[in-house]
């Protein structure tokens, strides 16, 4: 069974299909999660040097339909290992980490049942200790133990405690916002007078409207899809999804709200819409939180993923910060920021264009609710000065055109095939006048294009997990993307096992 469980590893998570459907076969079963949970217990025993009968483990889930069955299967194993189990029921991924650091019922480990924004039939597991989320090598070890399929039991079963941890976590956020806004007018309700609406996409983020915003005085009338529904009937809960962003934008304009907030399924990502309906996500969200962080920590290094725009780099550097463009993947940017701090180079923010944002002051935890809390604090302070949030990013230069393409690799050895293409592209670029390779790039190849060749840039890189070459293009002129693509098609068409239909049809 080792191979099967290995296939369930998705970087630093475990993910698979948990509900039968026409698209995929079920491979994440109650039986498989039982063994993987056992692997986590044994891994945690080794890590902490604490016997399983003395371990305290929290477990929570998002709104997915398969969550309750998977949770019950995991709890059964934890109990038979003698663990004290804290059942947090509906919760968020960041909150589950907090069960390992808050003094109240402080746990040795935590398990979150979620597959983030993936379709309803998927589910998965994320694991935490007080050091943060498990790394790729940790998951590999957990899965390896699970593959042994020899679950032993202890003589005395453990106990289970029901905990409304999202209530505890909400109160923590409320106190953070109150302290941060420090309004002389109204300490308890610093958001009084604001109309702020939430779109949770029927995921686990609906709590934010009632347990945080309303408590702080905000009018949340018009909030939508805040009731958990694992079929996600309205739109995919994903701040990167165009339909999802359009939905919260329309809601803001219809309800004449001051701010719209959208979360992904398990609330480790977020984005916002301002009162004019302007979507603040991806580069603009990074610019907004960077401006807040750089005011608090001048000259901080801001670590981002590889697909951020040239305009964002100019914006961060213009505020006195240092933009450090790193690799795609939220764990990559977080670990890079931690590495820089360990070297004595201050970095207070690691953020990916997907909406994963991790702050040094918050354990470098990618937490959508905490990110929004920081923004709300600044919103309240700006309001007292007669200003709005959008004033912070007024100087952000945005491209005229921005396009993303996913080129499927049809070769079974896709990583090697994709790497050959990227290496060949480097040689091709050197032959093109007006194309210049960007130095200090950490993945794939990033190329700047002059005015005659599209006036922008492109990045070609291998996807982290799929047999895909990801191509990002930005241009500062109309039809600049087409100009860049025309140059690239000459090169890409040479590879018979690469599907370039999306760029050909642009």
């Amino acid at each position: 069974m080792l191979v099967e469980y290995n296939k369930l590893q998705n970087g630093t998570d475990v993910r698979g299909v948990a509900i039968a459907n026409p698209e995929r076969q079920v491979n994440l079963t109650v039986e498989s999660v039982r063994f993987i949970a056992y692997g986590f217990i044994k891994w945690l025993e080794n890590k902490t040097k604490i016997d399983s009968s003395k371990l305290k483990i929290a477990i929570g889930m998002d709104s997915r339909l398969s969550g309750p069955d998977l949770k019950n299967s995991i709890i059964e194993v934890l109990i038979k290992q003698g663990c004290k189990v804290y059942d947090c029921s509906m919760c968020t991924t960041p909150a589950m980490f907090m069960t390992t650091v808050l003094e109240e019922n402080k746990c040795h480990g935590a398990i979150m049942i979620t597959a983030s924004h993936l379709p309803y039939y998927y589910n998965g597991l994320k694991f935490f200790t007080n050091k943060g989320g498990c790394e790729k090598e940790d998951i590999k070890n957990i899965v390896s133990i699970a593959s042994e399929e020899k679950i032993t039991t202890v003589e005395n079963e453990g106990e289970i405690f029901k905990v409304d941890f999202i209530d505890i976590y909400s109160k923590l956020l409320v106190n953070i916002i109150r302290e941060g806004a420090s309004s002389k007018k109204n300490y308890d309700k610093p958001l009084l007078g604001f109309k702020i609406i939430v779109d949770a996409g029927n995921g686990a983020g609906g709590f934010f409207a009632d347990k945080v915003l309303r408590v702080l005085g905000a009018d949340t009338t018009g909030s939508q899809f805040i009731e958990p529904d694992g079929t996600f009937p309205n739109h995919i809960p994903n701040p990167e999804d165009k339909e999802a962003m359009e939905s919260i934008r329309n809601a803001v304009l219809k309800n004449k709200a001051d701010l719209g907030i959208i979360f992904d399924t398990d609330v480790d990502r977020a984005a916002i819409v301002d009162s004019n309906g302007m979507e603040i996500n991806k580069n603009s969200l990074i610019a907004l939180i960077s401006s807040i962080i750089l005011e608090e920590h001048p000259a901080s290094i801001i670590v981002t993923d590889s697909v951020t725009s040239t305009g964002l780099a100019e914006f961060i550097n213009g505020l006195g910060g240092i933009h450090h463009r790193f690799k795609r993947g939220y764990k990559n940017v977080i670990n890079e920021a931690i590495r820089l701090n360990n070297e004595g180079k201050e970095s207070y923010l690691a953020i990916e264009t997907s909406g994963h944002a991790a702050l040094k002051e918050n354990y470098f935890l990618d937490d959508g609710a905490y990110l929004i809390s920081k923004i709300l604090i600044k919103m309240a302070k700006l309001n007292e000065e007669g200003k709005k949030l959008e004033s912070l990013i007024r100087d952000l230069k945005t491209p005229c055109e921005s396009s993303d393409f996913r080129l499927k690799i049809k070769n079974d050895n896709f990583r090697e095939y994709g790497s050959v293409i990227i290496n060949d592209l480097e040689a091709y670029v050197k032959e093109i006048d007006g194309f210049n390779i960007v130095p200090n790039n950490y993945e794939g190849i990033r190329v700047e294009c002059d005015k005659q060749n599209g006036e922008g840039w492109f990045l070609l890189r291998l996807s982290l997990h799929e047999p895909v070459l990801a191509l990002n293009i930005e241009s500062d002129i109309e039809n600049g993307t087409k100009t860049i693509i025309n140059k690239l098609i000459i090169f890409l068409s040479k590879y018979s096992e690469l599907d370039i239909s999306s760029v050909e049809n642009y």
Side-chain angles (χ1 to χ4, degrees):
M1 296 296 286
L2 176 60
V3 173
E4 179 184 340
Y5 290 154
N6 275 345
K7 288 181 179 178
L8 291 173
Q9 180 171 357
N10 182 60
T12 55
D13 304 348
V14 167
R15 286 187 187 175
V17 176
I19 295 177
N21 66 93
E23 301 293 324
R24 299 280 190 276
Q25 290 185 335
V26 172
N27 62 350
L28 188 73
T29 63
V30 292
E31 190 71 6
S32 63
V33 299
R34 184 179 291 120
F35 282 107
I36 292 170
Y38 177 75
F40 178 60
I41 296 166
K42 291 303 169 185
W43 174 85
L44 197 57
E45 274 188 322
N46 183 57
K47 198 83 172 173
T48 62
K49 308 303 180 188
I50 297 172
D51 185 78
S52 66
S53 62
K54 296 179 181 177
L55 285 176
K56 296 197 292 186
I57 299 178
I59 183 166
M61 63 182 187
D62 66 19
S63 60
R64 292 175 180 275
L65 299 176
S66 56
D69 286 343
L70 297 182
K71 185 182 69 149
N72 290 338
S73 177
I74 293 170
I75 287 175
E76 181 185 338
V77 172
L78 298 178
I79 292 296
K80 288 184 177 179
Q81 294 303 306
C83 303
K84 281 187 176 180
V85 182
Y86 295 85
D87 181 0
C88 300
S89 193
M90 187 74 63
C91 213
T92 71
T93 294
M96 290 311 300
F97 164 73
M98 296 302 290
T99 65
T100 69
V101 295
L102 294 183
E103 288 305 319
E104 190 170 352
N105 301 323
K106 190 173 182 180
C107 294
H108 300 101
I111 304 172
M112 177 65 182
I113 304 170
T114 182
S116 189
H117 63 281
L118 292 179
Y120 76 93
Y121 47 81
Y122 280 94
N123 217 327
L125 307 174
K126 294 183 178 182
F127 302 97
F128 297 95
T129 69
N130 62 359
K131 302 297 182 186
C134 285
E135 299 289 343
K136 188 182 295 185
E137 194 62 31
D138 299 326
I139 302 296
K140 185 177 178 182
N141 291 336
I142 289 166
V143 168
S144 178
I145 297 168
S147 70
E148 297 174 7
E149 293 205 71
K150 295 177 182 177
I151 297 180
T152 58
T153 58
V154 299
E155 185 175 342
N156 297 315
E157 290 192 349
E159 299 177 88
I160 182 168
F161 304 90
K162 293 279 188 179
V163 182
D164 185 359
F165 194 77
I166 204 66
D167 190 60
I168 297 170
Y169 184 62
S170 297
K171 289 174 181 175
L172 174 69
L173 294 175
V174 165
N175 288 335
I176 287 170
I177 295 170
R178 281 175 176 158
E179 289 293 325
S182 61
S183 172
K184 294 178 181 178
K185 294 180 181 178
N186 198 336
Y187 174 85
D188 287 334
K189 296 186 181 295
L191 300 182
L192 197 65
F194 286 109
K195 188 167 191 176
I196 305 173
I197 62 177
V198 173
D199 182 333
N202 301 111
F207 77 94
F208 201 82
D210 288 340
K211 291 180 178 286
V212 179
L213 295 176
R214 286 183 65 187
V215 173
L216 292 167
D219 176 1
T220 61
T221 307
S223 291
Q224 59 185 19
F225 318 139
I226 60 175
E227 291 300 321
D229 184 339
T231 64
F232 309 129
N234 296 291
H235 61 69
I236 296 171
N238 180 6
E240 287 188 288
D241 183 71
K242 290 182 179 178
E243 182 185 352
M245 290 305 297
E246 185 67 18
S247 180
I248 182 62
R249 179 181 181 274
N250 290 339
V252 166
L253 294 175
K254 177 183 175 181
N255 291 281
K256 296 182 172 60
D258 298 296
L259 189 73
I261 301 165
I262 185 167
F263 294 114
D264 76 339
T265 320
D266 60 330
V267 198
D268 55 8
R269 294 187 294 139
I272 61 174
V273 174
D274 74 8
S275 58
N276 297 315
M278 182 175 74
E279 298 175 9
I280 301 178
N281 65 347
K282 300 182 180 178
N283 286 295
S284 56
L285 181 66
I286 297 174
L288 181 65
I289 188 62
S290 293
S291 69
I292 294 170
I293 293 300
L294 287 169
E295 185 178 328
E296 298 172 353
H297 305 286
S300 170
I301 300 172
I302 308 295
V303 181
T304 73
D305 61 343
S306 60
V307 300
T308 49
S309 70
T310 303
L312 176 66
E314 293 171 356
F315 179 84
I316 290 172
N317 296 335
L319 292 176
I322 301 169
H323 180 220
H324 181 53
R325 188 187 287 119
F326 196 57
K327 298 177 183 177
R328 186 78 165 161
Y330 74 95
K331 265 292 189 179
N332 287 330
V333 296
I334 289 171
N335 287 341
E336 178 69 356
I338 292 171
R339 182 189 70 80
L340 289 169
N341 280 289
N342 288 340
E343 291 182 357
K345 302 171 184 176
E346 290 192 335
S347 175
Y348 287 87
L349 173 64
I351 182 167
E352 195 185 31
T353 48
S354 65
H356 283 283
L359 281 70
K360 182 180 180 181
E361 68 193 53
N362 190 42
Y363 307 95
F364 271 120
L365 173 67
D366 51 319
D367 183 347
Y370 191 88
L371 169 68
I372 295 300
S373 297
K374 289 288 289 187
I375 292 172
L376 290 173
I377 290 169
K378 188 61 179 177
M379 183 180 181
K381 286 183 174 181
L382 286 171
N383 185 60
E384 292 190 350
E385 300 172 19
K387 298 177 183 178
K388 292 189 174 184
L389 275 175
E390 49 264 40
S391 66
L392 298 179
I393 55 173
R394 192 170 289 137
D395 295 332
L396 174 65
K397 179 183 173 184
T398 57
C400 178
E401 297 176 346
S402 179
S403 300
D404 302 336
F405 304 92
R406 296 178 67 77
L407 314 180
K408 188 173 181 179
I409 300 171
K410 294 177 280 188
N411 187 296
D412 289 339
N413 200 348
F414 70 90
R415 292 200 176 279
E416 184 177 334
Y417 192 80
S419 296
V420 167
I421 294 173
I422 290 171
N423 289 334
D424 290 351
L425 178 59
E426 184 173 350
Y428 174 76
V429 165
K430 290 176 180 177
E431 299 173 0
I432 304 295
D433 289 335
F435 275 14
N436 294 292
I437 297 172
V438 176
N440 302 321
N441 192 57
Y442 291 90
E443 65 176 344
I445 179 170
R446 187 177 177 114
V447 176
E448 289 181 346
C449 312
D450 68 10
K451 284 187 177 182
Q452 285 70 43
N453 290 276
E455 194 169 355
W457 60 269
F458 69 85
L459 172 71
L460 187 71
R461 62 178 179 84
L462 265 169
S463 170
L464 294 177
H465 308 296
E466 299 175 275
V468 163
L469 276 174
L471 174 63
N472 300 85
I473 302 176
E474 284 190 2
S475 173
D476 292 327
I477 58 173
E478 190 174 347
N479 293 320
T481 300
K482 190 173 182 179
T483 301
I484 294 170
I485 284 175
N486 286 340
K487 297 272 187 180
L488 283 174
I489 283 178
I490 297 170
F491 167 78
L492 295 172
S493 59
K494 297 187 298 182
Y495 299 90
S496 60
E497 294 180 277
L498 183 68
D499 182 359
I500 62 170
S501 56
S502 58
V503 290
E504 288 178 321
N505 295 332
Y506 178 78

